Amino acid sequence: MSNYFLLEHLKVQNANCIAGLTYGFPAITHFLGYTHALSRKLQQQFGIELTGCAVVCHQHQVQAYQPSGWGDYVFALTRNPLTKEGNTAPIVEEGRMHLTVSLILEADKAFSNSQQQRLVEMLGLLAQRQKLAGGQVISLKGVSLYSDDDEQALSRKLLRKMLPGFVLTDRSELLKQHYQQLVATQPNATMLDAWLDFSALTYRAVIADDVDSSTDQHAAEWVRVPKPANGYLVPITTGYKAISPLYPAGAVANSRDPQYPFCFVESAYGVGLWLSPHRVPDVRDVIWRYRQQGPWYLCATNTSQNALKLHPEQEAALAELPETELTYY
C-alpha cells in the first residue's frame, strides 16, 4: 500500500532562489532537507520515515528588478541590520523569492486509524514551524493523507488535486544524450557546453536559397535555435560530488559539526522538466529521493532512468507547441 502526505499550498516568503550557478527556484536539496527534518521529528514520536517528496509549484516571484527599466535584472537587496557603529552594513548579495508550492511526502509504512488524525495534526504544526529553503512559511492550506492499494487511482486523485501547477522532474538523461550528439560534431565540446544549451537563448542567421551571399547584400533572417529536446526544460542543481577524501571527525578545523567525518564537495548539475501534473501517469515517477554512489550524492526521480511514457498523440502535440521563453534560470 502506498502512503503519501500532501502539504497543500505552502506559502513561503524570502526563500533562497540561488542554487549554485542557477537561480530562479530553490535547489531540490532544500526540499529534501525540509522533508528530512520533518522525518526526524516524526520518527521520534511515531516511528515513521519520510523517504522522498514531489515538488509542485503554483506561484513564484523572484525579488528582482531592472534598474533602468530595461536590460538585465538584478536582485533587490537590503542592508540590515546596522553595524555596531550605526552605519549601513556592506551588501552581501543574496537572491530571494516568494513562492507557493505543494509537497507530496512519501511515507515508508501504513498507519492505524488512531494514528492518522494525530499525524495530520502534528505534520500541520511542524510544517509551519521550520523554514523552507531559508524562507518563512507564512501559511498552509491543509495537510491530507492518501493511502491506496491501487497506485494508478491514487496517482490520479493526488496529482489532479495539484492543478493548476507544475511538478518538477529529473530529466538529466537528456543532458547525457545531448552531450554525446554534440561531441560527434564538435570533438572539443564539454559537458558544460551541453548543459548551457538547455538554458541559453541562441539565434542563427538564415539566408534564402535564391540569394548569392558572395555577391548580393541581403538581410539575413535570424531564426531561434530550438532547445535540445521538447518541453519546459531548465538547468538545475541536483546534488554534490566529493572533491576530497573523507576526513575523520575533528580532523578539519572549523567544520560545521566536528562529531562527524568531513568531506569537501562541489555542486552537481543536471536538467529538470516542469510538467503539468495531469501528464504524470504515476506519482512515484516524480518523487525525489537521495541516491549515493561513490563520490556522487544526488537527488533524482524515477524519470531520470525511465522517461515519462506519453501517448503518440501527446508527443506530436508537444512537438508542435511553440517553445516557451524561460525568463528565470
Side-chain angles (χ1 to χ4, degrees):
M1 175 180 288
S2 299
N3 304 277
Y4 300 98
F5 289 102
L6 172 60
L7 305 184
E8 192 174 355
H9 286 79
L10 277 164
K11 289 189 177 181
V12 186
Q13 67 176 4
N14 293 328
N16 178 26
C17 68
I18 298 178
L21 299 177
T22 67
Y23 85 93
F25 198 74
I28 197 64
T29 50
H30 283 302
F31 296 99
L32 283 180
Y34 180 83
T35 302
H36 180 66
L38 291 175
S39 179
R40 293 183 64 180
K41 295 180 176 67
L42 292 179
Q43 278 183 311
Q44 295 175 359
Q45 298 191 34
F46 301 97
I48 294 169
E49 182 181 2
L50 302 178
T51 55
C53 77
V55 181
V56 183
C57 182
H58 303 286
Q59 180 272 340
H60 71 277
Q61 180 187 16
V62 178
Q63 301 301 292
Y65 68 100
Q66 295 171 302
S68 303
W70 59 275
D72 295 334
Y73 282 83
V74 298
F75 288 120
L77 303 176
T78 59
R79 293 187 177 185
N80 56 301
L82 298 177
T83 64
K84 61 183 179 180
E85 291 82 12
N87 301 321
T88 55
I91 285 182
V92 177
E93 187 176 44
E94 58 180 2
R96 297 171 298 173
M97 68 181 301
H98 305 328
L99 70 159
T100 302
V101 294
S102 292
L103 302 182
I104 302 173
L105 309 180
E106 180 185 57
D108 63 340
K109 64 180 182 180
F111 325 107
S112 63
N113 294 332
S114 60
Q115 282 184 315
Q116 291 183 9
Q117 185 62 31
R118 292 173 56 204
L119 273 168
V120 168
E121 293 176 356
M122 178 63 69
L123 197 55
L125 292 174
L126 295 176
Q128 299 178 77
R129 288 178 179 174
Q130 64 184 41
K131 290 188 174 183
L132 174 58
Q136 298 81 28
V137 177
I138 59 176
S139 69
L140 171 63
K141 184 177 180 180
V143 180
S144 306
L145 173 62
Y146 290 81
S147 300
D148 201 330
D149 292 323
D150 187 345
E151 192 67 43
Q152 291 185 348
L154 178 61
S155 297
R156 288 194 300 269
K157 182 190 305 182
L158 189 54
L159 290 169
R160 290 185 184 275
K161 190 176 179 61
M162 295 294 93
L163 293 170
F166 289 91
V167 58
L168 182 62
T169 65
D170 186 18
R171 294 304 303 273
S172 295
E173 80 284 351
L174 295 177
L175 176 60
K176 180 180 179 181
Q177 296 172 9
H178 178 57
Y179 174 68
Q180 294 172 347
Q181 297 171 358
L182 199 62
V183 170
T185 57
Q186 305 176 29
N188 295 328
T190 64
M191 185 66 80
L192 179 61
D193 296 323
W195 185 67
L196 290 176
D197 285 344
F198 286 91
S199 60
L201 303 180
T202 308
Y203 290 82
R204 61 184 176 90
V206 176
I207 301 177
D209 296 335
D210 57 349
V211 175
D212 186 359
S213 59
S214 62
T215 58
D216 297 342
Q217 292 186 355
H218 190 277
E221 180 182 2
W222 289 92
V223 179
R224 176 80 172 274
V225 178
K227 296 291 181 66
N230 294 321
Y232 196 164
L233 296 166
V234 291
I236 59 174
T237 303
T238 57
Y240 306 96
K241 181 186 179 183
I243 59 174
S244 75
L246 184 64
Y247 297 101
V252 178
N254 301 321
S255 61
R256 184 172 184 176
D257 193 338
Q259 298 181 3
Y260 297 95
F262 184 88
C263 181
F264 291 95
V265 300
E266 287 284 357
S267 296
Y269 301 91
V271 174
L273 172 68
W274 288 107
L275 195 65
S276 178
H278 79 278
R279 288 184 50 206
V280 179
D282 193 332
V283 68
R284 292 173 295 185
D285 289 336
V286 294
I287 297 291
W288 290 86
R289 304 178 183 88
Y290 287 118
R291 291 177 181 169
Q292 188 275 328
Q293 183 177 8
W296 297 96
Y297 188 78
L298 303 177
C299 308
T301 65
N302 289 342
T303 53
S304 58
Q305 281 75 31
N306 304 311
L308 293 174
K309 304 299 182 183
L310 303 179
H311 295 294
E313 296 82 3
Q314 292 177 311
E315 203 61 69
L318 180 62
E320 294 176 0
L321 290 176
E323 186 176 0
T324 304
E325 291 193 11
L326 307 181
T327 57
Y328 66 98
Y329 320 128

